[in-house]
Amino acid sequence: MNAAAPPPALATRALVAGYERDLPIVRGVDFEVAPAELVVILGPNGAGKSTLVKAIAGLVPIHAGQAFLAGADITASPVQEKVRHGLAFVPQTENIFATLTIQDNLQLAADILPRSEQAARIAEVYELFPDLAARRSACAGNLSGGQRQMLAVARALIVKPSVLILDEPSAGLSPKIVGEVFSRLKEINTAGITIVLVEQNVKAALAIAHRAVILVEGELRHDGPAATLADDPIVAQLYLGATPAGREEQR
Ligand SMILES: Nc1ncnc2c1ncn2[C@@H]1O[C@H](COP(=O)(O)OP(=O)(O)OP(=O)(O)O)[C@@H](O)[C@H]1O
Ligand SMILES: [Mg+2]
């Protein structure tokens, strides 16, 4: 018999989550991400994508179901404990401290590490992001949109996460900068870090993802390889403004 397969890097089981107890936004989501996989979560505005990833990260109450990190139940773990277990989350907004320098942004992220390891880890992250290293005394608020996102990613990487979750890192960026940010994310993933990416930028996200899921009204409606999803009529319908074949007359 084969040795047991490793547990998913991240998983949810029948996850129900929302801001108020009687108002579930995420409604029974079973979601699995394999080690070193890059999965994109797509879905219309208000579908609950942010709520799902915030619930996994510990920022929105989980009403029912479970969340697992490398097989360990993290459903009830406080945020800091999830971080210590290897889960990093880059929220869509307010993911850096704009009034602080790049160095201080990284130092704050490193504060969770043993003091003796902090400087070395910051130096390692600067090696990954030479543009940030060259401007370490610059105020983060003066960075371009793309550089800010890279700083947010750099902050998340400080703790050497096994799983990196990002909520719409391309929001507000020009197509060229989106390409740069996404190719860095792909490199980070290729280096072995599991990535979950919430995106509205469907084509760019599918180009780097292994697999895509679609969340609609708090439920997973599709789960499949990213390569074929771009040609899928469901995606065309939901995102590209297409109508189901032969249904024009019903609109
Ligand atoms: N802080 C909050 N308190 C109460 N309800 C909220 C809160 N944030 C979001 N919601 C509600 O939760 C639902 C899902 O929102 P969510 O932000 O998760 O969607 P999303 O899929 O991330 O959408 P978008 O693509 O616009 O980012 C929406 O009905 C929204 O109004
Ligand atoms: Mg959102």
Side-chain angles (χ1 to χ4, degrees), residues 18-20 23 25-26 43-52 54 60 92 167-168 198-200 215:
Y19 304 86
E20 292 162 52
L23 195 65
I25 303 288
V26 171
N45 292 117
K49 304 179 298 293
S50 295
T51 306
L52 171 61
K54 285 195 269 185
V60 166
Q92 182 175 347
D167 194 355
E168 294 199 37
V198 172
E199 264 303 333
Q200 299 270 8
L215 194 72

Side-chain angles (χ1 to χ4, degrees), residues 38-123:
L38 198 169
V39 177
V40 60
I41 301 177
L42 306 172
N45 292 117
K49 304 179 298 293
S50 295
T51 306
L52 171 61
V53 289
K54 285 195 269 185
I56 293 170
L59 304 172
V60 166
I62 292 174
H63 301 169
Q66 292 157 298
F68 301 90
L69 192 64
D73 190 334
I74 55 160
T75 312
S77 306
V79 175
Q80 293 300 306
E81 201 179 308
K82 294 184 184 196
V83 174
R84 281 197 195 89
H85 272 100
L87 184 68
F89 176 56
V90 179
Q92 182 175 347
T93 56
E94 290 164 36
N95 53 25
I96 58 162
F97 295 96
T99 58
L100 301 182
T101 63
I102 289 175
Q103 172 71 27
D104 287 346
N105 267 276
L106 295 179
Q107 181 59 54
L108 273 179
D111 279 349
I112 194 171
L113 302 174
R115 185 164 286 275
S116 61
E117 296 172 15
Q118 293 175 6
R121 186 58 195 149
I122 291 172

